[in-house]
């Protein structure tokens, strides 16, 4: 069967009434959490992991993907009207979008963001559908050493991509890898790091760690910030629709943003933030209205928003084809797959094609739902910003606790939730990224399993790890992903110091 036939089959699955309902719930929740500053799609998916434990796998994953897409859409609303990005990928949108809102052009800014997100999401999802089968064909020939090299690449890129410091990223990763060692060894059957506690023999629950780190830790961190006074929300004045001139200035940035965002999102070390900054820089260089940049240029909203949503679809390429998460939300979605005994990767396309293609097709439907939800209901999304933060975060803490108890009614599990929540809070305070901890816990056992298989086949010969050209290339890319950011940061620091020295002279 070719890609078109698989995609049509997926659309049939995604169009089932229950799956449509899951998609609608996902995009509505995603838009709501995208609008609320400080609550991202990763936190929402983490909260829903224990709640959806008993649900249908396809429906739950469709809902998670809808939350991811919706969060990317909703983040633009607060960036434009409040100058406070709901998502880190929406930082660039605030530069021009809020200036447009202050000038009374908040409507066209929201419209170009929503339509650009729709165009980019549509093109990028089709790109995901056609590129994924080719990557799967390549990945099917991987042996244990290639898979171990791939895991090393995932560890390094996730550690380098999250946070400002590669060292802190690696430290977070090793915390996750240490937690992955807890429990019964899959090959020898020996208990490791269980300290005689029966609850630890099955290892640390990924859902407990994810909920604690993202929900409990984030809530405690926000609560510790104190009350910083009310934010000023710019009213949407005039029509929400775009003029002919706005359309003419927006369609090219939409396409350019898609072309920039999708490949960057699909890279192992990608991320939506990089694509949005590159798109903004590109539009600033190509614009025919340079005087408007910094004062509310519509291209500065259209391009980055398209890049943002294209990158979200691109992120699903390494997740579905190789099982590699490149964003925090993708890491939680990987935990969602494993919650149902599914491992994303090339074999999933062969063993469970209905689920994979149903998920990909549901993204097309979710994209259309988001366009319909966002513009007509903009007043509702703005009202969400008036929810008092104490109520909001108290609700998150209650929901996280009840969800964990519902999935695993154990006092010990509740204690682990609190302990990991405090760990997540401490990591946020000291600037350590949280996502590498979750990635280390999820991928650590898989990496160990592939390493031990490779060594068993070669009878303990370590050179087997570099005997495959594919493994060597992946390890070299991992080394480059570790070293290049360090060089760039050192160069940037050197330029800043030289500028300071010059100014003192």
């Amino acid at each position: 069967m070719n890609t078109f036939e698989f995609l049509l089959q997926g659309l049939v699955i995604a169009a089932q009434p229950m799956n449509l309902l899951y998609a609608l719930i996902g995009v509505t929740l995603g838009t709501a959490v995208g609008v609320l500053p400080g609550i991202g799609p990763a936190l929402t998916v983490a909260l829903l992991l224990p709640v959806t434990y008993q649900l249908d796998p396809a429906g739950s994953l469709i809902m998670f993907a809808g939350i991811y897409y919706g969060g990317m859409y909703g983040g633009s609303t607060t960036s434009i009207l409040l100058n406070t990005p709901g998502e880190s990928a929406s930082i660039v949108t605030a530069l021009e979008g809020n200036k447009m809102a202050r000038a009374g052009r908040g409507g066209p800014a929201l419209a170009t963001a929503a339509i650009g997100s729709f165009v980019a999401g549509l093109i990028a999802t089709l790109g995901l559908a056609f590129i994924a089968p080719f990557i799967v064909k390549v990945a099917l020939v991987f042996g244990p050493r290639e898979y171990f090299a791939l895991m090393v690449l995932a560890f390094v890129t996730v550690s380098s991509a999250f946070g400002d410091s590669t060292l802190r990223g690696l430290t977070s990763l090793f915390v996750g890898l240490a937690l992955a060692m807890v429990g019964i060894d899959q090959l020898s059957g020996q208990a490791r790091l269980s300290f005689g506690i029966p609850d630890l023999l099955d290892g640390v629950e990924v859902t407990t760690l994810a909920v604690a780190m993202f929900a409990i830790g984030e809530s405690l961190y926000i609560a510790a910030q104190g009350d910083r006074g009310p934010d000023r929300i710019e009213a949407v004045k005039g029509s929400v629709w775009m003029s002919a001139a706005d359309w003419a200035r927006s369609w090219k940035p939409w396409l350019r943003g898609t072309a920039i965002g999708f490949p960057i999102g699909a890279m192992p070390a990608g991320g939506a933030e990089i694509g949005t900054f590159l798109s903004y820089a590109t539009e600033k260089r190509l614009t025919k209205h340079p005087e408007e940049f910094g004062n509310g240029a519509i291209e500065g909203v259209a391009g980055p928003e398209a890049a943002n949503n294209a990158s979200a679809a691109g992120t699903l390429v390494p997740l579905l084809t190789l099982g590699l998460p490149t964003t925090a939300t993708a890491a939680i979605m990987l935990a969602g797959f494993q919650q149902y005994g599914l491992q994303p990767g090339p074999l999933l396309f062969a063993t469970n094609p209905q689920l994979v293609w149903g998920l990909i097709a549901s993204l097309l439907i979710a994209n259309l739902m988001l366009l319909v939800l966002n513009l007509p209901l903009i007043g509702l999304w703005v009202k969400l910003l008036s929810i008092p933060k104490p109520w909001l975060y108290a609700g998150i803490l209650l929901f996280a606790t009840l969800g964990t108890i519902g999935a695993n009614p154990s006092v010990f599990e509740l204690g682990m939730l609190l302990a990991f929540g405090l760990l997540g809070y401490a990591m946020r305070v000291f600037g350590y990224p949280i996502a590498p901890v979750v990635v280390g816990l999820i991928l650590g056992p898989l990496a160990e399993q592939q390493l031990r298989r490779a060594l068993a086949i070669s009878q303990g010969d370590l050179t087997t790890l570099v005997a495959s050209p594919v493994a060597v290339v992946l390890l070299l890319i991992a080394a480059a992903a570790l070293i290049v950011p360090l060089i760039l940061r050192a160069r940037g620091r050197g330029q800043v110091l030289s500028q300071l020295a010059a100014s003192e002279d």
Side-chain angles (χ1 to χ4, degrees):
M1 292 177 73
N2 59 31
T3 302
F4 277 113
E5 291 171 332
F6 277 125
L7 198 54
L8 284 173
Q9 278 194 358
L11 282 169
V12 171
I13 294 165
Q16 291 174 2
M18 281 308 296
N19 287 340
L20 285 174
L21 178 63
Y22 283 129
L24 181 62
I25 292 170
V27 297
T28 306
L29 276 174
T31 305
V33 301
V35 165
L36 293 167
I39 302 181
L43 189 154
T44 312
V45 176
L47 274 177
L48 289 174
L49 276 179
V51 180
T52 57
Y53 186 73
Q54 301 292 335
L55 295 181
D56 169 49
S60 298
L61 293 168
I62 285 170
M63 182 165 65
F64 293 159
I67 290 169
Y68 189 22
Y69 264 36
M72 292 301 179
Y73 265 78
S76 63
T77 303
T78 37
S79 293
I80 292 167
L81 300 182
L82 195 63
N83 201 25
T84 306
E87 257 290 291
S88 58
S90 299
I91 292 169
V92 179
T93 308
L95 297 177
E96 302 297 331
N98 189 251
K99 296 278 175 43
M100 287 182 70
R102 289 182 182 180
R105 283 175 45 77
L110 290 166
T112 194
I115 298 167
S117 295
F118 171 74
V119 171
L122 182 65
I123 296 171
T125 303
L126 291 172
L128 163 65
F130 285 96
I131 290 171
F134 292 103
I135 298 176
V136 165
K137 284 179 183 176
V138 174
L140 279 171
V141 301
F142 280 15
R145 57 193 174 191
E146 287 85 4
Y147 265 114
F148 175 70
L150 192 64
M151 296 298 170
V152 172
L153 174 61
F155 291 148
V156 171
T157 52
V158 167
S159 303
S160 302
F162 289 102
D164 299 324
S165 165
T166 304
L167 180 60
R168 287 180 177 177
L170 288 170
T171 305
S172 296
L173 173 69
F174 279 102
V175 171
L177 291 175
L179 292 173
M181 298 286 287
V182 176
I184 294 175
D185 182 357
Q186 296 299 314
L187 294 181
S188 68
Q190 295 295 314
R192 300 187 302 192
L193 302 176
S194 62
F195 306 105
I197 302 171
D199 294 90
L200 288 178
L201 291 175
D202 288 333
V204 175
E205 281 286 337
V206 176
T207 50
T208 303
L209 180 75
V211 171
M213 287 284 191
F214 283 97
I216 307 290
E218 181 69 24
S219 298
L220 293 175
Y221 181 75
I222 295 291
Q225 303 298 305
D227 189 9
R228 290 176 292 181
D231 295 308
R232 180 188 169 191
I233 304 170
E234 297 292 340
V236 181
K237 301 168 187 172
S239 172
V240 181
W241 206 237
M242 296 161 61
S243 66
D246 291 334
W247 280 93
R249 290 176 59 179
S250 293
W251 71 271
K252 287 182 181 176
W254 291 338
L255 297 179
R256 282 194 290 261
T258 305
I260 292 169
F262 181 71
I264 287 176
M267 288 182 201
E273 298 88 349
I274 302 168
T276 56
F277 279 104
L278 283 177
S279 175
Y280 182 78
T282 303
E283 296 310 321
K284 194 172 183 180
R285 192 168 61 250
L286 297 177
T287 184
K288 294 177 182 176
H289 307 275
E291 72 284 353
E292 290 189 21
F293 267 81
N295 298 305
I298 196 167
E299 296 93 337
V301 178
E305 273 304 303
N308 182 6
N309 272 58
S311 182
T315 298
L316 296 177
V317 175
L319 177 66
L320 293 177
T321 58
L322 302 171
L324 298 184
T326 57
T327 65
T329 311
I332 306 299
M333 285 183 70
L334 179 59
F337 274 98
Q338 293 191 339
Q339 177 174 268
Y340 299 108
L342 302 168
Q343 178 58 42
L347 291 177
L348 189 64
F349 278 77
T351 58
N352 210 331
Q354 296 89 354
L355 185 141
V356 176
W357 288 102
L359 177 61
I360 292 172
S362 75
L363 296 174
L364 296 171
I365 296 171
N367 213 29
L368 182 61
M369 286 179 174
L370 282 164
L371 184 65
V372 175
L373 278 174
N374 266 264
L375 287 177
L377 299 178
I378 188 64
L380 174 64
W381 306 127
V382 172
K383 283 181 182 177
L384 286 176
L385 295 169
S386 62
I387 297 174
K389 282 190 177 180
W391 295 9
L392 185 65
Y393 286 97
I396 289 172
L397 286 172
L398 177 66
F399 198 76
T401 307
L402 291 177
T404 304
I405 292 172
N408 194 342
S410 159
V411 176
F412 184 79
E413 202 72 25
L414 204 57
M416 287 179 67
L417 182 76
L418 177 60
F420 288 139
L422 292 172
L423 175 64
Y425 167 70
M427 291 177 72
R428 283 297 309 270
V429 168
F430 293 104
Y432 286 84
I434 292 170
V437 180
V438 180
V439 171
L441 180 63
I442 295 170
L443 295 184
L446 300 175
E448 181 192 8
Q449 185 183 52
Q450 299 298 342
L451 173 63
R452 291 169 76 169
R453 279 182 183 172
L455 292 175
I457 292 168
S458 66
Q459 297 182 340
D461 184 6
L462 283 170
T463 58
T464 189
L465 298 177
V466 291
S468 161
V470 176
V472 170
V473 169
L474 290 171
L475 291 171
L476 287 174
I477 295 171
L482 184 63
I483 296 166
V484 171
L486 294 174
I487 295 171
L488 291 175
R489 283 177 186 140
R491 184 181 294 176
R493 201 176 292 119
Q495 288 175 352
V496 170
L497 289 172
S498 62
Q499 287 172 1
L500 286 172
S503 63
E504 287 175 1
D505 293 340

